[in-house]
Amino acid sequence: MTYTVGHYLGERLAQIGLKDHFAVAGDYNLVLLDQLLEIEGLRQVYCCNELNCGFSAEGYARANGAGAAVVTFSVGALSALNAIGGAYAENLPVILISGAPNSNDHGSGHILHHTIGTPDYGYQLEIAKRLTCAAVSITSADDAPVLIDHAIRTALREKKPAYIEIACNVSAQPCPRPGPVGAILADAPSDAQTLKLAVDELASFIGARKKPMLLLGSRLRAAGCEDAAIRLADALGCAVATMAAAKSFFPEDHPAYIGTYWGDVSSPKAQQIFDWSDGVLCLTPVFNDYSTVGWTAWPKGDNVALLDGRHIAAGGKAFDGIHLRDVIDALIERVKGQPRKDATLVEYRRISAPHAPAAVASPDAPLVRAEMARQIQNLLTSNTTVLAETGDSWFNVMQMKLPRGARVELEMQWGHIGWSVPATFGYAVAEPERRIVTMVGDGSFQLTAQEVAQMVRLKLPVIIFLINNRGYTIEVQIHDGPYNNVKNWDYAGLMSVFNAEDGHGKGFRATTGAEMEKAIAAAVANREGPTLIECVIDRDDCTSDLISWGRRVATANARPPAAR
Ligand code: TPU
Ligand code: MG
């Protein structure tokens, strides 16, 4: 058998730990898909459309560390690029692979199908360059190994997406076999001198403060520092808060954990502790308009130290080219044996009230948000992952208490409604043994609903809570108008559409607590496919946090243009 460019790509994907890749077929990628099918241990998983294909690979990368999507030129890739923008925003190495025009057509003046109708096909690569950390075009088998390795290596290093397009007549051309994977995984070590100076600076930042605390942000996983953050918390003894987008990146049953810091909509007392602290070590934060609650809660100034994956800023100094993992390890060594800096945690324990269990609603009363959230909370185990969509689902999941091991996945930087359905599919493909629970609003679900059919196809026992409040409630809280009303669907009824003649998905509609409980029991018992539970609640029944946050964001949006 001839070893080909497609084989090389597939083998590299398998080497970096991919057991699956997501695909939508098209004539520019058919031969490539044939080559990928021949790679042992690499399954080809199909999606309904390319946007979903991109988000499926993104969800897969959340569970597996990296993901790949294979699409056709332009009509496919331009849809997938939206999800690639998401992977960039969310720091996930997703490799987008696009079939491309025959190498003989480049520069020929030929007009080809699926293009914008001009003989220049370079626009897709140009767009991809803006949305990825590496974008390459392969029009000759000779260049393929170097270009493929460059794209994959850069994506893994940067924890950002990469783009590879392969001319359709090159995928099956002969190509050498790849060497060991170490060549593309190896990373430059931290610069020793910079590391020492950065740790000196951080140690004196902490030493000079009485009430330090740790704030963990959403890039912690990409930096590979979730465990290191726990060790640092143990060494310092101070309070630890997570930012909203970093929910579940620190164990919530850890004695130092005080909840989410999110300005006005923080967990009880977390904002007071934050305001009282005289030195916040921010690990891998992303401060945007949403995470700072419309710029009202933006940690900065002399009492803030910023520690990113490869960059430290503290005490008016900046340090680059050092891995956060190394910084944390060295800092732990430095503070060892010193008195614990536990003032923020002691203070938190003084002012915080014990957590009161949520009240149980009367079983036959109309379903309300609080009862819905209570029942979903009860479903969470140490083996559960909750994917929470943009909307009030963000605020509902933020209030949940996670057992050790439970994970939450959020897409707060990109915030593409509809993300959760294909991301759930991809996540479930990577982690079929976990209990996977999705919370998605009616408005969001309508963007990507058809990907539930692929969960039926692969018999993935996902539980989807579809929150039907007949509107874009998160938008209602920011700015209301007729555009926030959503056409109602028979959501539970969709499942029989997706099942057709051979599926085992189940759909239920819950209008009371009792109906929801029954549906959850049936969902847990259904191991043969997804279960969708439509939770019917009132249009205005949302968390108070969403209302407060929505007001702040609306104010930030409404700032008039600055006078020139
Ligand atoms: O719980 P709830 O009602 O807030 O959630 P639902 O029903 O899913 O509504 C979400 C409403 C929403 C929109 C329309 N949130 N953000 N947007 C703006 C938006 C539009 N298009 C995309 C692709 N992403 C968006 N975030
Ligand atoms: Mg809604």
Side-chain angles (χ1 to χ4, degrees):
M1 192 177 85
T2 310
Y3 198 87
T4 68
V5 170
H7 293 151
Y8 187 99
L9 173 63
E11 193 163 338
R12 276 300 197 212
L13 294 179
Q15 280 181 333
I16 64 164
L18 268 60
K19 296 191 172 56
D20 310 89
H21 60 292
F22 297 87
V24 179
D27 62 350
Y28 288 111
N29 72 14
L30 297 175
V31 175
L32 174 62
L33 292 178
D34 288 341
Q35 307 301 304
L36 295 174
L37 279 171
E38 286 169 2
I39 303 300
E40 209 175 308
L42 187 68
R43 177 170 60 156
Q44 207 160 80
V45 175
Y46 306 109
C47 295
C48 296
N49 65 47
E50 286 84 354
L51 174 67
N52 292 353
C53 187
F55 280 136
S56 296
E58 194 261 29
Y60 189 90
R62 287 169 182 265
N64 185 64
V70 188
V71 299
T72 195
F73 198 66
S74 263
V75 290
L78 293 192
S79 293
L81 280 165
N82 188 325
I84 292 302
Y88 200 103
E90 302 290 325
N91 305 293
L92 293 160
V94 174
I95 317 293
L96 176 64
I97 299 149
S98 175
N102 184 297
S103 61
N104 300 304
D105 286 325
H106 292 259
S108 67
H110 294 163
I111 291 180
L112 297 178
H113 73 288
H114 292 348
T115 71
I116 56 172
T118 63
D120 175 4
Y121 327 125
Y123 58 91
Q124 184 169 306
L125 180 66
E126 289 306 310
I127 296 168
K129 279 183 185 163
R130 299 295 304 271
L131 298 173
T132 60
C133 65
V136 299
S137 174
I138 297 172
T139 52
S140 141
D142 295 341
D143 301 333
V146 169
L147 294 176
I148 289 170
D149 283 3
H150 168 68
I152 295 177
R153 175 192 297 119
T154 313
L156 294 180
R157 213 172 263 185
E158 307 284 323
K159 298 289 188 284
K160 296 286 185 191
Y163 170 79
I164 300 172
E165 68 178 34
I166 305 183
C168 59
N169 59 332
V170 170
S171 320
Q173 288 295 304
C175 178
R177 287 171 188 270
V181 70
I184 54 174
L185 297 182
D187 203 350
S190 298
D191 176 63
Q193 197 188 356
T194 311
L195 181 62
K196 186 188 169 300
L197 292 173
V199 172
D200 286 349
E201 196 56 47
L202 289 170
S204 71
F205 178 92
I206 295 166
R209 283 166 178 83
K210 293 193 171 62
K211 306 175 284 182
M213 70 172 284
L214 289 176
L215 178 65
L216 309 181
S218 60
R219 288 198 290 241
L220 196 66
R221 173 166 59 187
C225 286
E226 285 173 276
D227 286 350
I230 299 174
R231 285 187 277 112
L232 181 59
D234 290 339
L236 293 174
C238 65
V240 180
T242 44
M243 291 176 69
K247 173 92 176 167
S248 85
F249 287 8
F250 190 82
E252 299 202 347
D253 63 352
H254 189 286
Y257 187 62
I258 67 167
T260 304
Y261 172 69
W262 199 1
D264 274 358
V265 294
S266 297
S267 303
K269 310 296 180 190
Q271 185 179 23
Q272 282 94 317
I273 296 300
F274 179 91
D275 292 342
W276 186 72
S277 170
D278 62 359
V280 184
L281 288 177
C282 301
L283 269 57
T284 64
V286 175
F287 297 128
N288 66 18
D289 48 349
Y290 278 14
S291 72
T292 63
V293 196
W295 309 117
T296 61
W298 187 358
K300 46 183 177 177
D302 292 346
N303 283 341
V304 171
L306 293 171
L307 291 77
D308 229 318
R310 299 230 175 109
H311 184 90
I312 307 289
K317 295 183 193 147
F319 306 92
D320 214 285
I322 41 179
H323 295 283
L324 181 56
R325 226 171 307 113
D326 297 337
V327 172
I328 292 175
D329 284 341
L331 189 56
I332 290 170
E333 281 305 310
R334 197 70 68 83
V335 299
K336 237 180 211 164
Q338 293 182 10
R340 284 162 68 82
K341 291 269 179 176
D342 60 0
T344 45
L345 191 53
V346 171
E347 181 70 1
Y348 174 73
R349 291 195 180 133
R350 285 179 56 206
I351 63 173
S352 67
H355 176 63
V360 182
S362 150
D364 297 320
L367 188 62
V368 294
R369 182 208 64 78
E371 174 61 12
M372 176 190 75
R374 185 191 69 81
Q375 291 200 23
I376 298 174
Q377 166 79 67
N378 285 346
L379 199 54
L380 307 187
T381 63
S382 59
N383 190 37
T384 299
T385 298
V386 184
L387 290 97
E389 180 70 84
T390 297
D392 202 25
S393 299
W394 278 353
F395 298 87
N396 276 302
V397 85
M398 216 44 65
Q399 293 175 3
M400 289 184 184
K401 300 272 173 288
L402 304 178
R404 175 82 58 136
R407 305 289 310 195
V408 169
E409 297 295 341
L410 300 153
E411 196 222 27
M412 283 190 159
Q413 176 60 36
W414 193 239
H416 185 303
I417 57 170
W419 156 84
S420 67
V421 180
T424 294
F425 174 55
Y427 195 100
V429 165
E431 289 275 16
E433 298 308 319
R434 281 183 81 81
R435 169 175 287 176
I436 296 171
V437 172
T438 301
M439 295 178 71
V440 53
D442 51 339
S444 300
F445 183 77
Q446 293 195 1
L447 274 85
T448 51
Q450 66 277 76
E451 220 54 25
V452 174
Q454 305 295 356
M455 302 175 194
V456 172
R457 188 184 206 177
L458 295 197
K459 297 193 165 72
L460 299 170
V462 166
I463 306 177
I464 300 170
F465 291 98
L466 187 143
I467 299 130
N468 187 0
N469 52 15
R470 301 226 181 181
Y472 295 152
T473 298
I474 187 172
E475 301 257 311
V476 172
Q477 304 312 324
I478 297 174
H479 186 106
D480 202 10
Y483 34 75
N484 288 331
N485 299 328
V486 172
K487 164 75 179 80
N488 196 34
W489 289 7
D490 174 8
Y491 297 101
L494 273 180
M495 293 308 284
S496 71
V497 174
F498 293 146
N499 282 337
E501 65 281 354
D502 57 354
H504 300 284
K506 285 188 159 62
F508 300 100
R509 188 160 188 269
T511 61
T512 65
E515 286 174 2
M516 183 162 171
E517 210 165 303
K518 220 172 126 198
I520 289 176
V524 170
N526 179 18
R527 305 299 303 161
E528 287 294 296
T531 303
L532 184 151
I533 303 174
E534 176 187 348
C535 304
V536 180
I537 63 172
D538 196 83
R539 190 174 190 270
D540 297 320
D541 184 10
C542 64
T543 59
S544 60
D545 288 344
L546 172 60
I547 298 171
S548 313
W549 175 89
R551 282 191 191 139
R552 298 281 195 191
V553 169
T555 306
N557 285 348
R559 284 165 303 158
R564 284 172 200 252

